[in-house]
Amino acid sequence: MKKILVLFFAVLSSFNTVMAGGYDSYYKDLPVSMPVVAVPVIPDYAVDIRDFGGVGDGVTLNTDAFKKAISALEKKGGGHLVVPEGIWMTGLISLKDNIDLHVEKNAIIMASPDKNLFIKEKNGKKDTKCTPMISASKRKNVSITGEGVIDGNGAYWRPVKRSKVSDTEWKEFLYMGGTEAEGGKLWFPFNLKHYGNVAGTPEAQEKMRTHLIRITDCENVLVSGVTIQNSPKFHLIPTRCNNVVVDGVTIRCPWNAQNGDALDISSCKNVLIVNNMIDAGDDGICMKGGAGESGVKYGPCENILIENNAVFHAHGGFVIGSEFSGGMKNIVVRNNRFCGTDTGLRFKSGIGRGGKTEGIYISDIVMTDIKDEAIVFDCTYIDKKYSVKEDDGKAATVVKDAPFVPEFTDIHISNVTCRNVKTAVSVTGLPGMNCVHGVTIDNSTFFYTKKDKSIVDNADITITNSRFLTF
């Protein structure tokens, strides 16, 4: 009993410190007006996963223990579920109102390699898609905190391209079993030695690949301190949420992880992303706003503040798109550093999934060793129907009635310092459409190795007080 009480007060003290400190200080001197984000309120009550049959030996399955512990907290009106030191193998974890999942230092919550555990059944029939290991839907006051690790065991889910791994790594995948395809150019975790399939073909199973943490239609969400790694697909996806804080989180996976997005904020309002470290296989910090009519229905990503984050490998450090039909409004990105990303500031979309940006302010960004572009606008990211070439090789004219055309506008970038980038600024537009206009770049320095600017004629970008240097 004494040990449990000490554990409870330690967790409570740590959590209340976050609550007491608040986040007001981040909202000083903003170029646009936005409300201070609200944080979850969690009751002063805690339980230990071990009290519900949990065993952190890396072998025992703890799905039922998590379910029972969360149910017990729910009956009490909420509280903290403490996961102590150990490796806690599990299937699905569904968070409820007023609950904090607290992962202590040296604790690892790991997804079981058994894919069947992530398929829900309804009325005796299995879903055709898998469910993320940790989820919350239509909840209020939800948090994931601590210094521990949440591991998606992604190697058992992700396909691997032969061209992206060494001979030694390729042999390690083959040792797991699996299936080679395309003449040995691709490996699927299908027909593994020790774990069964959840579909009839490698391609069908690939379509069932799931995310790691998905929080949907929730209010007051905090993810703080933990390491989130090795997801089967995207790592952390708050979707259609109001009041979200992601603070001091490490998100990581292999650089070549297929679709390994780190943090995707989708159609959310009032979001604070601060003090995080990201090293991912796809986009780093990404804003999404839905495609087509559904995006319009859910509304814009709005009132987003992104500050003091470090992004290492990623396809883009800060990204908007590719889908943002609901729009992007009041987004401030400042005092961040990108080291070794493919692109730095990445704006990507295409017909059918584009929207309009409004009040985007990006400043004080430091970049080193950027593989492709420091700043890139790509309006043809996904629009194959409209991007076909004519017989003479010239781009086809886009039809006037093209739906949901991207409009990147009212974007203001300043105080960027970039050392070593192939192309400093690149804009790819759509024929006959002014998709990039009202964009400013000011007081910035770019050291490029191939080209300073590659900008289509119909783009409206004003560059002032900036230097473009090379060898």
Side-chain angles (χ1 to χ4, degrees):
M1 176 61 72
K2 183 177 180 180
K3 181 177 180 181
I4 294 175
L5 286 174
V6 170
L7 182 65
F8 165 65
F9 286 118
V11 171
L12 185 60
S13 175
S14 174
F15 194 81
N16 284 342
T17 298
V18 173
M19 298 299 98
Y23 289 103
D24 301 54
S25 61
Y26 287 99
Y27 289 83
K28 295 178 180 179
D29 303 320
L30 292 179
V32 293
S33 177
M34 63 176 72
V36 176
V37 66
V39 295
V41 177
I42 306 295
D44 296 347
Y45 179 74
V47 298
D48 189 309
I49 187 69
R50 294 171 294 188
D51 294 336
F52 298 87
V55 180
D57 59 4
V59 178
T60 303
L61 189 65
N62 291 281
T63 310
D64 287 343
F66 277 107
K67 185 176 181 180
K68 291 176 181 177
I70 290 170
S71 178
L73 284 172
E74 187 178 23
K75 291 176 182 177
K76 287 282 189 178
H80 307 268
L81 171 52
V82 179
V83 182
E85 179 177 337
I87 301 174
W88 306 86
M89 300 295 291
T90 187
L92 298 175
I93 299 173
S94 180
L95 299 177
K96 309 297 183 183
D97 290 339
N98 311 315
I99 289 180
D100 166 45
L101 177 63
H102 186 81
V103 191
E104 289 204 320
K105 192 173 185 178
N106 292 335
I108 301 174
I109 299 176
M110 178 172 281
S112 168
D114 184 356
K115 300 180 184 70
N116 286 285
L117 296 176
F118 302 93
I119 301 178
K120 291 183 177 180
E121 287 193 13
K122 295 179 181 178
N123 301 321
K125 294 184 178 180
K126 290 186 175 182
D127 282 353
T128 56
K129 293 184 178 180
C130 293
T131 299
M133 181 177 76
I134 299 176
S135 65
S137 177
K138 299 179 180 178
R139 299 294 173 183
K140 186 173 183 178
N141 298 325
V142 173
S143 65
I144 302 172
T145 64
E147 298 179 73
V149 175
I150 298 171
D151 192 310
N153 229 344
Y156 289 93
W157 292 84
R158 296 189 300 261
V160 177
K161 293 181 179 180
R162 178 65 184 89
S163 60
K164 290 189 173 183
V165 297
S166 66
D167 291 345
T168 300
E169 290 170 308
W170 187 252
K171 289 178 182 177
E172 290 175 353
F173 285 111
L174 296 180
Y175 182 77
M176 295 170 61
T179 301
E180 291 185 83
E182 299 181 8
K185 294 181 180 179
L186 189 63
W187 177 87
F188 287 100
F190 185 84
N191 291 336
L192 295 170
K193 289 181 180 179
H194 303 294
Y195 298 97
N197 304 315
V198 291
T201 66
E203 293 78 12
Q205 183 167 280
E206 159 63 11
K207 292 179 180 179
M208 297 178 70
R209 185 158 52 111
T210 187
H211 309 305
L212 183 51
I213 303 174
R214 184 171 62 202
I215 302 172
T216 309
D217 298 306
C218 292
E219 186 172 353
N220 303 344
V221 175
L222 171 68
V223 183
S224 175
V226 293
T227 294
I228 302 169
Q229 66 178 28
N230 205 19
S231 174
K233 204 170 183 181
F234 300 170
H235 287 74
L236 176 58
I237 318 170
T239 302
R240 301 188 300 276
C241 294
N242 181 37
N243 291 318
V244 177
V245 178
V246 183
D247 179 9
V249 172
T250 297
I251 304 178
R252 59 189 295 272
C253 67
W255 72 271
N256 50 15
Q258 295 292 117
N259 309 113
D261 285 30
L263 175 59
D264 285 8
I265 302 295
S266 183
S267 303
C268 292
K269 290 179 172 59
N270 306 319
V271 179
L272 179 64
I273 301 170
V274 289
N275 310 317
N276 303 291
M277 295 183 63
I278 289 172
D279 196 343
D282 209 303
D283 286 327
I285 301 172
C286 186
M287 305 292 107
K288 294 182 179 293
E293 293 292 349
S294 62
V296 174
K297 175 184 176 182
Y298 297 130
C301 267
E302 185 173 2
N303 298 333
I304 318 290
L305 176 54
I306 301 168
E307 186 166 348
N308 193 32
N309 303 282
V311 183
F312 298 97
H313 186 272
H315 287 183
F318 168 76
V319 183
I320 289 180
S322 63
E323 62 273 25
F324 73 107
S325 296
M328 298 281 152
K329 184 177 181 180
N330 287 6
I331 299 178
V332 176
V333 184
R334 62 185 185 183
N335 302 315
N336 298 281
R337 53 215 183 271
F338 308 147
C339 306
T341 57
D342 288 355
T343 61
L345 303 172
R346 187 185 194 194
F347 306 87
K348 60 175 181 175
S349 192
I351 292 172
R353 57 181 55 208
K356 185 178 181 179
T357 59
E358 179 181 350
I360 314 297
Y361 291 86
I362 303 171
S363 63
D364 300 288
I365 307 296
V366 177
M367 310 185 200
T368 58
D369 299 323
I370 306 301
K371 177 176 172 286
D372 296 317
E373 301 96 357
I375 302 171
V376 57
F377 292 86
D378 184 359
C379 300
T380 63
Y381 184 71
I382 297 180
D383 63 339
K384 294 180 181 179
K385 179 179 178 181
Y386 299 94
S387 296
V388 294
K389 302 293 184 181
E390 301 288 10
D391 291 338
D392 60 2
K394 296 180 180 179
T397 301
V398 179
V399 296
K400 294 181 180 180
D401 297 329
F404 300 104
V405 175
E407 184 179 0
F408 292 114
T409 185
D410 196 10
I411 297 173
H412 308 284
I413 303 168
S414 62
N415 300 329
V416 173
T417 303
C418 180
R419 169 74 190 191
N420 285 349
V421 63
K422 185 180 292 182
T423 301
V425 180
S426 174
V427 180
T428 302
L430 287 165
M433 294 186 177
N434 187 11
C435 299
V436 181
H437 64 94
V439 175
T440 64
I441 301 173
D442 181 54
N443 195 38
S444 297
T445 299
F446 305 91
F447 188 95
Y448 65 92
T449 59
K450 184 177 180 181
K451 196 167 186 178
D452 57 350
K453 297 179 285 290
S454 177
I455 302 174
V456 293
D457 292 338
N458 62 348
D460 170 24
I461 293 185
T462 302
I463 302 175
T464 54
N465 302 320
S466 296
R467 298 187 300 163
F468 295 83
L469 309 170
T470 190
F471 292 103

